[in-house]
Amino acid sequence: MQGKVLSFGELLLRICPDIEDNWIEQHQLPFYVGGAELNVATALALWNVPSSYLSAIPQNAICEGIDVYLKRRNIDTSAMQWGGERLGIYYLPKGKDLKNAGVIYDRANSSFASLKVGSIDWDKALKDVKWFHFSAICPAISQDIADLCLEAVQKAQEKGIFVSLDLNYRSKLWKYGKTPKEVMPRIAKYCNLIMGNIWAAHQMLGTPLDEQFLTHTSGYTEEELLAQADRTSREIIASNPMCQYVANTFRFDHHTKGIEYYSTLFDKDRLIKSTTYIAEEILDKVGSGDCFMAGLIYGLYSNLSPQETLEFATSAAFDKLFIASDATTSTVDDIKKRLTT
């Protein structure tokens, strides 16, 4: 594949106060530049895929510095929309209870949230683009952004651009009177690759789930999960004729601080499963799913086989669990080494 991958979404600052230390008196407030789609764009640029990023940020010294930071990482920001009043922020406190740390959003009335249909010249933004990526976090923000996402994917398909969607579900964002099932199916009709998990697909696209997955939070066998992934994938493809691939991630708590991780990819009427990874302790969950999505894009963009693509994406996502930032800092070679260990 030739041409740019354009990732579209809200640029955010993640601020991480350590609630077990006296961060106020110590005047320490670590932060990271992120956002789901920017994490994807950052990984792709690091992996030498032509990567472009489209968001909306205010014209001020802070955001100009962020723009320089992104360009230094080989991310094309020429499509960036400059304007509005503020940059979105979210807080993710850290401490011993890593798994239950709650997200606190501070992104209302941000520059990105102020966009609407007609705000973006898609003919210009999609020039030389072969792949358009976004996540369900965008339509969760407002009806205006949901309409803008629909406009974007329709324009992309008119131009023959491959479209990928990550079914990120953020319950704290769906506050404008619509449920995901009222918004996402219409947008998904224009997507060629849909990634998420069996629960997100049920929540956002209305795909059926066996009763056990609705009533129990654990205790499933791998065989049961893979059978449900196969049914969910077939349902998504049947309901969305443009969809060629469906990916599912399975990430489960393992002991106290550890994790079990594997994934599937449905391609050409067959379900492929990845290697299963297990770790007794992890460092940072943030961005692992974005890294998986980036790995899928990298593999398919680079013409790897579906199995090779899935293994690379899963290895990249697992590797990200040990990196304390929003986006991965591991190169392709770093990830391939993990594949062989």
Side-chain angles (χ1 to χ4, degrees):
M1 188 180 289
Q2 297 294 319
K4 296 188 292 188
V5 177
L6 176 64
S7 300
F8 171 67
E10 183 166 16
L11 192 157
L12 297 165
L13 280 185
R14 171 165 66 109
I15 298 177
C16 303
D18 191 332
I19 55 179
E20 292 184 358
D21 287 336
N22 198 334
W23 61 272
I24 298 175
E25 289 189 3
Q26 293 178 5
H27 311 296
Q28 291 183 344
L29 203 59
F31 73 92
Y32 303 93
V33 177
E37 299 82 7
L38 178 56
N39 296 339
V40 172
T42 302
L44 292 174
L46 179 62
W47 301 338
N48 295 316
V49 172
S51 181
S52 184
Y53 180 61
L54 167 55
S55 190
I57 54 178
Q59 189 85 49
N60 59 42
I62 297 294
C63 292
E64 288 165 4
I66 291 172
D67 186 55
V68 170
Y69 169 85
L70 298 182
K71 287 175 177 174
R72 283 206 307 264
R73 278 147 185 79
N74 295 319
I75 299 170
D76 174 12
T77 62
S78 59
M80 187 71 75
Q81 304 294 296
W82 292 87
E85 298 300 321
R86 65 180 301 246
L87 183 67
I89 294 171
Y90 75 104
Y91 299 87
L92 187 62
K94 62 181 180 178
K96 286 183 180 177
D97 197 8
L98 177 65
K99 295 181 185 300
N100 296 310
V103 175
I104 302 166
Y105 287 118
D106 179 18
R107 55 199 292 185
N109 304 311
S110 68
S111 296
F112 187 86
S114 302
L115 294 173
K116 55 188 64 179
V117 169
S119 293
I120 297 172
D121 181 345
W122 288 111
D123 288 328
K124 183 177 179 182
L126 295 172
K127 189 177 188 310
D128 299 324
V129 170
K130 294 300 181 186
W131 190 304
F132 179 83
H133 173 67
F134 72 115
S135 84
I137 293 174
C138 297
I141 295 170
S142 70
Q143 186 64 60
D144 281 338
I145 300 296
D147 293 341
L148 181 62
C149 288
L150 180 60
E151 179 188 46
V153 294
Q154 287 173 334
K155 286 284 188 181
Q157 290 297 351
E158 286 174 13
K159 296 175 179 295
I161 295 170
F162 194 97
V163 177
S164 58
L165 165 63
D166 182 349
L167 293 176
N168 272 328
Y169 177 62
R170 299 290 185 268
S171 60
K172 292 183 179 181
L173 291 182
W174 287 93
K175 300 298 184 186
Y176 60 92
K178 293 284 184 73
T179 66
K181 287 183 209 180
E182 294 176 284
V183 175
M184 293 308 304
R186 190 178 178 203
I187 296 172
K189 295 284 186 192
Y190 297 91
C191 299
N192 306 105
L193 165 61
I194 297 176
M195 188 276 276
N197 61 47
I198 57 176
W199 295 277
H202 174 72
Q203 182 80 33
M204 310 194 85
L205 301 180
T207 55
L209 264 184
D210 283 358
E211 186 67 22
Q212 64 170 325
F213 299 114
L214 294 171
T215 56
H216 299 88
T217 57
S218 62
Y220 329 115
T221 67
E222 182 180 294
E223 183 180 12
E224 289 169 336
L225 287 164
L226 294 179
Q228 181 62 66
D230 185 81
R231 289 191 292 273
T232 293
S233 300
R234 291 178 188 276
E235 176 76 19
I236 290 173
I237 286 178
S239 302
N240 301 281
M242 288 187 180
C243 185
Q244 300 174 40
Y245 303 96
V246 177
N248 285 280
T249 58
F250 295 96
R251 192 175 71 185
F252 300 108
D253 293 350
H254 185 70
H255 302 311
T256 306
K257 298 180 180 179
I259 214 157
E260 178 181 358
Y261 191 95
Y262 59 92
S263 64
T264 65
L265 181 65
F266 192 88
D267 164 58
K268 294 183 176 62
D269 204 42
R270 64 188 179 125
L271 187 77
I272 306 166
K273 180 193 173 291
S274 76
T275 298
T276 298
Y277 292 88
I278 295 175
E280 296 303 315
E281 188 168 352
I282 63 171
L283 183 60
D284 195 342
K285 278 185 176 181
V286 174
S288 175
D290 305 327
C291 197
F292 177 78
M293 184 75 242
L296 292 178
I297 297 173
Y298 171 84
L300 294 173
Y301 185 97
S302 305
N303 297 314
L304 300 183
S305 72
Q307 186 74 57
E308 289 171 324
T309 294
L310 183 65
E311 293 294 356
F312 178 84
T314 308
S315 177
F318 183 73
D319 179 78
K320 173 62 190 69
L321 296 170
F322 307 95
I323 298 171
S325 68
D326 278 39
T328 187
T329 54
S330 292
T331 65
V332 169
D333 284 343
D334 292 334
I335 293 162
K336 286 182 176 178
K337 284 175 186 174
R338 186 179 284 279
L339 273 169
T340 59
T341 58

